[in-house]
Amino acid sequence: MLRYAPSPTKDMDIQSLRIALFNYIMSKKLNEELIVRIEDTDKKNVLEGKDKEILELLNLFSVEHSRVIYQSDNIKYHQKLAMQLMTQKKAFACFCSDEKLNELKQNAKNEGKVYTYDDFCANLSDETVLEVNSSFTVRIKRPTKDIEFDDLLNNKQKFTPTDVDSFIILNHDKTPTYNYACAVDDMLHDVTTIFKSEKELSNTPKQIHIRNSLGYTKQINYIHLPAITNEKKSSTSVKYLIEQGFLPVAIANYLVLLGNKTPTEIFTLEEAIEWFEIENISTNEVKFDLEELKTINKKHLELIDDLRLSKLLGFADADIGKLGKLFLNEASTLNEIKENLNLIFSKKELCKGYEQESEIIIQCLKNAPFMENFDELKAYLLNETKLKEDSLSKALKYLLTKRENGPSLNEIYPFIKNYLGEIVKC
């Protein structure tokens, strides 16, 4: 069992999507189930509708999963197992106020030390605990020996009891903390392999300690992926990239390619399943480069079916897909292609400097019979308008494309000939 565990407290970013993609690929390679677990226990920070948005994005990227689980549905298990840990003296009630804890943290900071809880409440007698009439958190007792585990990408990892600490597993309102809920749910769902960001590396020994304390000994394989940096501060929201006209297949291609040894630069997720190996992933942090993504997106736009591209551009005609591809010398996203198509189908002013010629051409085009190719149309216009070829060409190019450069009319005409009346009326 593999799990992808997004948080509905923020937009899905490329780091999170990359983890989802690797989970999907590995689930297919191992022929194991992949579940999506929405980590929604932090109710005050959950954004309404964000869970549905995440699931829609996973569907858009064809990340198949067997079921969706909401972490908050397991709270009764979180609380029950916390009580078990307390009964077994593996966890304890902590009555320390926020002010006291902040003081301890500040003292550690002033002394240049890493803050760890002083275990004051761990030593309270049962009688004392019963006499205290105030709210409390629940802390798990720190381990008595080092926590070690093998990371499939980063080799053996070792953390001391001080690294793990006596950390909180239930808040004052008895909702589970992040590490506790994750550890329990991974145990309940029999998860075997977990992809995480290397930024979460320090959380892993805490989660292992929780399961060890609960007597769960089944090994879980961990892969901590290097961070994705973004030096140019481009938006890394997946939703934003889609809105900007990047294809899901291209975004997925780029994220799997980043810091990875692949047999080819351009591929689909289905192709990646065939050759993907964890040991080929770099352990160094990788840089998100919007220009590289544009290059990959352009290559996928070149490969996409013409009719499919047409539909993505708001049409249902393969010729429009072919027309869109003519602009790939300068365009690299759907939005950039749409901008060029919008110029063709938009209302146009008369060509500056050729206003009179433009009016003559428009009238002639409205009365022109259907022409199969551009040379026929050009010959017809030259004959009917009596304009010089240079004047005709400049004015006609602007009237049909609203621009002076770009693909030639000879290239464009085969794909707009059926729309000529509509274009001239614009």
Side-chain angles (χ1 to χ4, degrees), residues 291-319:
E291 294 306 312
E292 288 184 14
L293 175 57
K294 286 183 177 180
T295 298
I296 288 176
N297 198 64
K298 180 182 292 190
K299 291 179 180 179
H300 278 281
L301 285 169
E302 291 170 350
L303 295 171
I304 196 170
D305 175 76
D306 294 329
L307 182 58
R308 171 64 178 157
L309 177 57
S310 170
K311 291 179 179 179
L312 293 174
L313 294 169
F315 294 81
D317 182 352
D319 278 350

Side-chain angles (χ1 to χ4, degrees), residues 223-240:
I223 305 99
H224 292 85
L225 297 171
I228 300 177
T229 61
N230 182 20
E231 294 179 352
K232 295 183 179 179
K233 306 301 180 185
S234 307
S235 175
T236 57
S237 160
V238 176
K239 182 181 177 182
Y240 171 82

Side-chain angles (χ1 to χ4, degrees), residues 337-366:
I337 294 176
K338 285 179 183 178
E339 287 174 6
N340 286 286
L341 294 185
N342 288 341
L343 290 176
I344 293 175
F345 290 95
S346 67
K347 182 176 178 60
K348 304 175 186 70
E349 304 81 21
L350 299 179
C351 182
K352 190 173 181 180
Y354 296 89
E355 288 84 358
Q356 186 176 357
E357 291 89 342
S358 295
E359 290 180 345
I360 294 172
I361 294 171
I362 290 173
Q363 191 59 43
C364 189
L365 284 172
K366 288 181 178 179

Side-chain angles (χ1 to χ4, degrees), residues 133-357:
N133 188 25
S134 63
S135 65
F136 61 90
T137 60
V138 176
R139 290 179 181 270
I140 190 167
K141 288 185 176 179
R142 72 186 68 220
T144 56
K145 58 183 181 179
D146 293 343
I147 299 290
E148 298 182 15
F149 64 93
D150 290 320
D151 183 297
L152 298 187
L153 185 60
N154 299 285
N155 302 318
K156 186 174 287 295
Q157 304 293 316
K158 181 178 180 179
F159 293 82
T160 67
T162 301
D163 293 328
V164 177
D165 200 11
S166 298
F167 58 94
I168 296 173
I169 59 174
L170 290 186
N171 297 304
H172 283 100
D173 62 359
K174 304 306 174 282
T175 57
T177 58
Y178 170 77
N179 280 314
Y180 179 61
C182 285
V184 170
D185 289 345
D186 288 337
M187 179 179 72
L188 291 176
H189 301 138
D190 197 26
V191 171
T192 59
T193 305
I194 296 176
F195 283 92
K196 306 170 80 174
S197 167
E198 66 177 6
K199 293 180 179 179
E200 294 189 65
L201 183 60
S202 61
N203 289 330
T204 299
K206 295 182 178 183
Q207 295 174 19
I208 292 174
H209 176 48
I210 289 166
R211 288 192 295 274
N212 287 345
S213 299
L214 289 168
Y216 187 81
T217 58
K218 185 173 180 177
Q219 179 181 331
I220 295 179
N221 295 316
Y222 285 96
I223 305 99
H224 292 85
L225 297 171
I228 300 177
T229 61
N230 182 20
E231 294 179 352
K232 295 183 179 179
K233 306 301 180 185
S234 307
S235 175
T236 57
S237 160
V238 176
K239 182 181 177 182
Y240 171 82
L241 293 176
I242 295 296
E243 290 172 346
Q244 291 303 301
F246 289 95
L247 298 173
V249 65
I251 298 172
N253 183 160
Y254 179 62
L255 293 180
V256 174
L257 180 69
L258 271 181
N260 198 358
K261 294 178 182 178
T262 63
T264 181
E265 181 186 43
I266 303 302
F267 51 82
T268 64
L269 280 183
E270 287 67 28
E271 291 168 339
I273 292 169
E274 298 299 319
W275 45 254
F276 180 82
E277 297 293 344
I278 291 173
E279 55 264 31
N280 288 333
I281 302 173
S282 172
T283 57
N284 299 320
E285 67 178 27
V286 292
K287 295 178 181 178
F288 173 74
D289 189 322
L290 190 62
E291 294 306 312
E292 288 184 14
L293 175 57
K294 286 183 177 180
T295 298
I296 288 176
N297 198 64
K298 180 182 292 190
K299 291 179 180 179
H300 278 281
L301 285 169
E302 291 170 350
L303 295 171
I304 196 170
D305 175 76
D306 294 329
L307 182 58
R308 171 64 178 157
L309 177 57
S310 170
K311 291 179 179 179
L312 293 174
L313 294 169
F315 294 81
D317 182 352
D319 278 350
I320 297 298
K322 293 173 183 176
L323 175 62
K325 290 181 180 182
L326 289 180
F327 296 101
L328 287 177
N329 285 332
E330 56 192 83
S332 55
T333 67
L334 288 172
N335 287 10
E336 291 171 353
I337 294 176
K338 285 179 183 178
E339 287 174 6
N340 286 286
L341 294 185
N342 288 341
L343 290 176
I344 293 175
F345 290 95
S346 67
K347 182 176 178 60
K348 304 175 186 70
E349 304 81 21
L350 299 179
C351 182
K352 190 173 181 180
Y354 296 89
E355 288 84 358
Q356 186 176 357
E357 291 89 342

Side-chain angles (χ1 to χ4, degrees), residues 16 26 30 47 55 77 148 208 229 267 339 351 391 407:
S16 182
M26 187 55 65
L30 298 175
L47 300 176
L55 295 174
Y77 295 108
E148 298 182 15
I208 292 174
T229 61
F267 51 82
E339 287 174 6
C351 182
S391 298

